[in-house]
Amino acid sequence: MDLKFEFMNVIVLLRSGAAFRDSNKTFNYISKIKSKNIKEKYIMNNNSKHYSPWDKVKFPLVFAAVEKLSKASAPTIIAIEGRCGSGKSSLATMLAETFDCNVFHMDDFFLPFEMKTKERLSQCGGNVYYERFKAEVIKPLQNREAVTYRPYSCLSGTLGEARHVSFKKITIVEGSYCLHPTISKYYDYKIFLDLNSQVQQKRILSRNGEKMFRNFREKWIPMEEYYFLNLNIEAQCNIVVDTSALWI
């Protein structure tokens, strides 16, 4: 049996209705039951345009699942949700480089300043303009039409120039709050990226610097955790991947 689909069998056997954690333990488990050359077999051919050595090894179960979805006849919308610094954008980029798909970022749909009322921000995930995302992205995708939207800039507080995106069979939506209850039902596959707090701090400091890290620590991370906990986001996902050990 092809190793990619052996991964899927492992999920069926071990998941039992709960999200399966893709981690180093997964590698150890599968390598014992299948092959000592798990990395080489999953990569298949390092020269292939569909696989490259390290990116796909980091997320074997995710790539196996997306490959299976890509072979289905119906269009697919995939959500990549997770904590700050867990690698959501990186994973979306890896998938886009492997599969013929579009990627939309929830960061482009944050709430504009004039809508940030006390009532709105008191809601779980209320700081995202999910109404606009649903109208501008989800609705056209349901109709198999091109998407036109204007990304919002949190720095300037304005909408950028319109982006026109042709319809493709696979769509990836990445970013915190992409599994908000108003839009979560539209996804065919849901991924949650997790990491521990120590690694999260290191990644945010490296990526955003000390000044911005304070904003994350005092504002953005608590808002995320409130959203994850109160809406039970992780439990909704098909797979949970702890990226703590994948890179620092």
Side-chain angles (χ1 to χ4, degrees):
M1 181 182 291
D2 193 306
L3 185 57
K4 297 188 301 299
F5 296 104
E6 188 72 15
F7 282 129
M8 300 308 297
N9 289 338
V10 171
I11 295 177
V12 172
L13 290 170
L14 301 183
R15 186 165 173 266
S16 301
F20 181 86
R21 290 189 174 271
D22 175 4
S23 64
N24 290 333
K25 291 182 180 179
T26 304
F27 272 149
N28 294 336
Y29 179 81
I30 299 177
S31 61
K32 288 179 182 179
I33 65 172
K34 186 64 183 178
S35 170
K36 293 181 180 179
N37 299 313
I38 182 172
K39 294 181 182 180
E40 289 74 15
K41 286 200 173 185
Y42 181 71
I43 295 167
M44 296 172 64
N45 179 358
N46 290 352
N47 297 320
S48 168
K49 65 180 181 180
H50 296 299
Y51 296 90
S52 64
W54 272 109
D55 292 347
K56 289 71 184 175
V57 167
K58 292 175 182 176
F59 299 96
L61 302 180
V62 171
F63 274 80
V66 175
E67 180 162 350
K68 187 173 183 179
L69 289 167
S70 72
K71 295 178 180 179
S73 57
T76 297
I77 306 178
I78 300 168
I80 304 178
E81 175 68 271
R83 292 183 162 83
C84 292
S86 59
K88 299 181 292 297
S89 297
S90 297
L91 176 57
T93 299
M94 294 175 197
L95 292 170
E97 290 174 349
T98 302
F99 303 97
D100 184 23
C101 61
N102 288 321
V103 177
F104 295 97
H105 306 279
M106 289 306 295
D107 284 0
D108 292 333
F109 293 87
F110 274 113
L111 206 64
F113 181 77
E114 61 271 18
M115 293 183 66
K116 292 182 178 180
T117 63
K118 183 177 180 180
E119 181 181 4
R120 175 66 179 235
L121 294 180
S122 67
Q123 302 172 15
C124 282
N127 56 317
V128 167
Y129 200 170
Y130 47 80
E131 299 94 338
R132 184 168 76 90
F133 181 81
K134 183 177 179 181
E136 295 183 4
V137 178
I138 295 296
K139 186 175 180 180
L141 290 178
Q142 287 185 304
N143 296 327
R144 303 190 182 190
E145 298 173 347
V147 171
T148 299
Y149 72 101
R150 298 175 64 190
Y152 178 74
S153 170
C154 292
L155 291 176
S156 65
T158 60
L159 293 172
E161 295 184 3
R163 295 179 182 176
H164 305 282
V165 183
S166 299
F167 177 79
K168 289 187 176 181
K169 183 180 173 184
I170 301 176
T171 298
I172 296 172
V173 178
E174 73 83 19
S176 298
Y177 309 107
C178 69
L179 291 182
H180 189 279
T182 59
I183 54 178
S184 63
K185 65 181 179 181
Y186 298 107
Y187 298 105
D188 302 289
Y189 194 79
K190 302 172 184 178
I191 302 163
F192 189 92
L193 300 189
D194 198 4
L195 79 171
N196 65 54
S197 59
Q198 292 81 9
V199 173
Q200 182 182 53
Q201 177 175 326
K202 289 180 180 179
R203 290 182 187 170
I204 294 173
L205 282 168
S206 176
R207 183 186 68 185
N208 302 99
E210 179 66 37
K211 184 177 179 180
M212 285 299 296
F213 173 70
R214 289 197 294 269
N215 289 333
F216 278 93
R217 182 182 59 201
E218 297 169 7
K219 185 175 182 182
W220 303 120
I221 291 176
M223 289 178 70
E224 273 192 0
E225 293 302 322
Y226 179 68
Y227 158 78
F228 294 144
L229 178 63
N230 283 272
L231 297 180
N232 206 18
I233 297 298
E234 186 174 328
Q236 300 178 32
C237 295
N238 300 89
I239 184 169
V240 176
V241 182
D242 189 334
T243 70
S244 299
L246 296 185
W247 64 83
I248 300 300

